[in-house]
Amino acid sequence: MTIMTGGQALVQQLKREGIDTIFGLPGIQLDWIFDAIHAEREHFSLFHPRHEQACVYMADGYARVTGKIGLALVVPGPGLLNAAGAIATAYAVSSPVFVVTGNIESRNIDRGKGLLHEVRDQTGMMSHVTKYQARALTPAEVPKLVHEAVRALSTGRPRPVELEIPPDVLEAKGEVSLVDPESFERPGPVPDLVEKAARLLATARRPMIFSGGGVIRSAASAELARLAELLEAPVVMSVNGKGALSDRHELALPLRGLPVVGPEADLVLLVGTRFVQGLMSQVLQPWVAGKTLIHLDIDPAMIGNTYETALALVGDARKGLAALADAIGRRPAGRESRRAELAALKRFLEADARRQSPQADYAYAIRDALPDEGVFVQESTQVGYWSAAAYPAYRPCTYLTSGYQGTLGYGFATALGAQVGLPDRPVVSINGDGGFAYNVAELATMVQHRIPLTVVVFNDNAYGNVKRYQETRFGGRTIASDLHNPDMLKLAEAYGLEARRARSPAELKATLKEVLERREPVLIEAPVPPMPAVNFRPYVREDAAVAG
C-alpha cells in the first residue's frame, strides 16, 4: 500500500489501465485530480475545451476511431448536466466513454442543503445514460472502482460509464492499493447454437446479412467479409455500421438496399444491431414477418427486442462470425450466383444517389477529396442526411454519426476528438450553420491545441430542415427557423484560424484537396441555397439496365 490522495489514486489507476488521453475542464471540485495529472504530465495528453459537452463529445470521437477508452473530466451538477446530451449520444452509438465527475462534500450528498453544484441523486440521474455508475467515498475505494468501470467498458456492449468522487475524498490521504490491469475476454456464442445457425445459413436459398455498429466495435470486418463471401449473401449495413464492409465490395449495400433484398431473403442474419432503422423506427417492417431471423449480438437484451428471432447467438460479433464461417466450411453447392443482380442494384442505388442535387454534389466533393482512410463526421444538416443514406465508406470507423439520438450540434466537437485520436489521418467535419453554433467556441480549442481538423459549414442562414418542413407542412408559415450568423471568415480570423469560402461543389473539392495535404486547422464556409428534401426512388428491376 502507498499513501495517496484520492486524486492521485484516480490518476495512478487510470495510468495503470493504459489511459493516456484526457478531455477535461477544471473546477474547484476537481482541483486535486488536475494537480495529480500535472504530476504525470509526461504520460497524459490533456485537452481542455470550452464547454463540458465538448469534453464528452471529444472523448466519444476519440473512442470511436481508436477503440480505446475516451476519458472525460467534468465538474458535477451543471457541468455534468451540460455534458448529458453528449453522454446520451455516446450511449446511443455504444461508445466506450468514461466520465469522471465530482460532487459536493460527501457528508452532505443528497441532504438538500443547496450547496454549490448540488443536484439531487446525481448518480441516479446518470443511470439513464450510462451502463455503470459508482461513487468513491474513500481514497482506498478509488482504484477498485476505476477498474470496475474499465471492466464495464471492456465487456459486453460498450457504453458510457460514470464515476463520481467528492472533493473531500479527492483531497483526503489514505492507504491505497492499485489494481493490476486485466485483459478482458469477450465470449463467443454457444458452439451448439453456432452449428445450428450454420446449417440454416448453408441451406438457405437467398440469405442476407444485416450488419450494425457492433461489427465495427468488435473489429469484425474480415470475419464479416469471409462469411458473406462463403454465402454469397448481400450485406446491408446500418448507418452506424457503415464501412464494416467496404462499399466497393460487390456484396456491400447501403441501408437503401434493404427494401429490395430484405423481402426476397428467406433467412436474415442480424449481427451487432438493434435492427431498428429510420425516423419512424417504431414501425415494424411488414416483410420481416415470416422470415427466419438469426441474431448475433453481445447484448442479449437486443435479441428479439424488435422482431421474433428463430435463433439467438449471444456473443462477440468477431468470434461469432468466425465460428459461423468455420462451421459452414465452404460455399454451399447448388446455389445460384447473385453477383449480376447485386451489381445492377448497386449501380442503380449510386445513380439515384448522385441525382440528389445539391446534397450529392457536395458530399461527393468531400468523398473525392478524402482518402479511403479519412474520417467523415456527419451532422444534422442536408448533406448529412444524404450521407447517412448514400455516402460511400471504405473502411471501418471512417463514418461517424450521432446514432438514434440525432443530436444537433454534436459533430464539430466529436470530430475534434476523432482528429486527436488519429493525428496522422485527415478528418472532415460537416455542419449546418445552426448546429455549428452549438459548439462554435471550440474553434479556440482547435487553434490552441493545434488540432488539424477541416471543418465545413454549409450556411443557408436558417435551420434549413425545420424551415422547409414549416413551409411545406404548415402553409408557408415559418417561425424561429431563420438565423442571423456572423461572417464566418471574420469569425475564424478572430480565433486565429485559417478560413476559406467555397461557393460550389467544385470549389469545395479543390479547396479540400489543397488544405487536407497541409494538415492544418481550417474552416471552410460553403454558402448554400435552401435545399430540397432528399427523395430517393424505389428500385424496380426494369431500371437496372437504364441505371447501368
Side-chain angles (χ1 to χ4, degrees):
M1 289 188 176
T2 305
I3 300 298
M4 297 184 191
T5 66
Q8 290 168 334
L10 171 72
V11 169
Q12 291 303 318
Q13 187 63 38
L14 291 174
K15 182 179 178 181
R16 183 166 284 205
E17 299 289 354
I19 294 170
D20 58 12
T21 302
I22 298 173
F23 305 93
L25 278 177
I28 191 168
Q29 293 91 348
L30 304 182
D31 283 349
W32 291 89
I33 297 177
F34 277 84
D35 186 59
I37 293 171
H38 183 271
E40 293 289 347
R41 60 191 179 277
E42 296 300 318
H43 173 80
F44 289 100
S45 296
L46 174 62
F47 296 84
H48 57 288
R50 307 304 289 269
H51 194 279
E52 287 89 1
Q53 66 175 272
C55 287
V56 176
Y57 282 137
M58 290 181 73
D60 177 20
Y62 172 89
R64 280 198 260 171
V65 300
T66 64
K68 300 178 181 179
I69 292 171
L71 187 85
L73 287 175
V74 297
V75 296
L80 189 59
L81 287 167
N82 278 345
I87 299 171
T89 301
Y91 188 86
V93 299
S94 302
S95 183
V97 170
F98 189 170
V99 180
V100 177
T101 187
N103 205 318
I104 61 175
E105 289 193 352
S106 56
R107 67 177 181 274
N108 290 314
I109 291 174
D110 292 334
R111 296 184 65 183
K113 291 186 174 184
L115 301 177
L116 179 68
H117 292 176
E118 180 179 1
V119 294
R120 182 170 59 86
D121 191 16
Q122 179 174 276
T123 307
M125 177 182 71
M126 282 292 102
S127 69
H128 300 284
V129 289
T130 58
K131 176 183 179 180
Y132 167 92
Q133 319 83 38
R135 178 189 296 155
L137 294 177
T138 66
E141 292 178 330
V142 172
K144 179 184 71 172
L145 293 179
V146 169
H147 187 67
E148 288 305 308
V150 171
R151 180 189 302 277
L153 288 164
S154 306
T155 58
R157 184 178 185 175
R159 276 180 153 171
V161 300
E162 182 250 3
L163 173 62
E164 62 179 56
I165 313 174
D168 55 307
V169 178
L170 291 171
E171 182 179 3
K173 291 184 177 181
E175 290 188 341
V176 172
S177 293
L178 298 178
V179 180
D180 290 335
E182 290 183 66
S183 295
F184 298 101
E185 284 292 321
R186 293 169 63 85
V190 175
D192 288 349
L193 294 178
V194 170
E195 290 291 335
K196 185 176 179 181
R199 287 194 297 270
L200 290 172
L201 286 164
T203 57
R205 304 307 301 173
R206 296 177 71 84
M208 185 203 92
I209 300 173
F210 189 92
S211 173
V215 174
I216 291 177
R217 294 282 81 76
S218 63
S221 291
E223 292 75 13
L224 174 66
R226 180 185 169 210
L227 180 62
E229 289 163 5
L230 271 178
L231 298 171
E232 205 171 74
V235 177
V236 178
M237 289 169 281
S238 73
V239 177
N240 284 327
K242 273 179 174 287
L245 192 63
S246 170
D247 275 308
R248 293 194 183 99
H249 195 288
E250 60 188 352
L251 296 174
L253 290 173
L255 192 56
R256 290 183 302 122
L258 183 61
V260 180
V261 297
E264 298 175 349
D266 58 345
L267 183 147
V268 181
L269 173 63
L270 311 173
V271 188
T273 176
R274 296 173 297 121
F275 200 44
V276 178
Q277 303 297 323
L279 182 62
M280 300 297 290
S281 56
Q282 70 272 24
V283 178
L284 303 186
Q285 300 191 40
W287 63 262
V288 176
K291 300 287 184 188
T292 299
L293 300 184
I294 300 172
H295 198 159
L296 168 60
D297 203 289
I298 193 71
D299 185 355
M302 290 297 100
I303 298 178
N305 190 40
T306 305
Y307 301 100
E308 185 177 349
T309 303
L311 194 57
L313 302 178
V314 179
D316 175 67
R318 181 171 55 82
K319 290 182 177 179
L321 289 168
L324 285 170
D326 289 343
I328 292 170
R330 64 179 184 274
R331 183 173 301 166
R335 186 180 289 167
E336 291 184 7
S337 174
R338 304 181 63 187
R339 294 177 187 273
E341 67 171 274
L342 293 176
L345 175 57
K346 286 171 71 73
R347 288 194 300 268
F348 172 85
L349 294 175
E350 181 177 356
D352 188 47
R354 285 185 178 273
R355 74 177 181 84
Q356 308 285 327
S357 182
Q359 292 95 321
D361 304 323
Y362 280 107
Y364 272 107
I366 298 170
R367 176 69 281 177
D368 292 345
L370 196 61
D372 287 6
E373 71 276 11
V375 179
F376 179 100
V377 184
Q378 182 250 17
E379 246 290 356
S380 297
T381 184
Q382 282 302 308
V383 177
Y385 299 143
W386 180 95
S387 75
Y391 181 85
Y394 304 129
R395 295 191 184 179
C397 305
T398 59
Y399 182 90
L400 305 188
T401 81
S402 57
Y404 63 77
Q405 285 296 328
T407 324
L408 180 62
Y410 85 98
F412 173 34
T414 302
L416 285 171
Q419 188 68 86
V420 169
L422 302 174
D424 298 324
R425 286 165 56 181
V427 179
V428 172
S429 166
I430 68 162
N431 306 263
D433 50 309
F436 179 62
Y438 280 40
N439 275 290
V440 68
E442 303 311 330
L443 290 173
T445 304
M446 186 163 68
V447 172
Q448 183 169 4
H449 292 282
R450 300 301 300 171
I451 301 172
L453 177 67
T454 300
V455 183
V456 179
V457 181
F458 296 103
N459 186 3
D460 62 357
N461 293 296
Y463 292 121
N465 211 44
V466 173
K467 186 173 183 178
R468 191 187 65 252
Y469 281 172
Q470 291 174 349
E471 290 172 340
T472 57
R473 296 181 179 181
F474 297 95
R477 299 186 298 277
T478 62
I479 183 171
S481 53
D482 289 308
L483 298 174
H484 172 73
N485 291 319
D487 182 310
M488 294 291 177
L489 270 60
K490 289 182 179 178
L491 176 69
E493 182 183 358
Y495 277 105
L497 179 70
E498 179 185 351
R500 308 284 286 274
R501 184 169 283 134
R503 297 187 178 276
S504 69
E507 283 190 18
L508 178 60
K509 179 178 176 178
T511 303
L512 281 170
K513 284 190 170 182
E514 177 193 337
V515 301
L516 290 175
E517 288 181 358
R518 291 195 279 110
R519 311 293 296 118
E520 294 288 337
V522 177
L523 182 144
I524 303 171
E525 182 197 24
V528 293
M531 295 188 187
V534 173
N535 181 26
F536 294 107
R537 295 180 296 176
Y539 177 71
V540 290
R541 301 234 173 253
E542 300 87 83
D543 288 345
V546 176

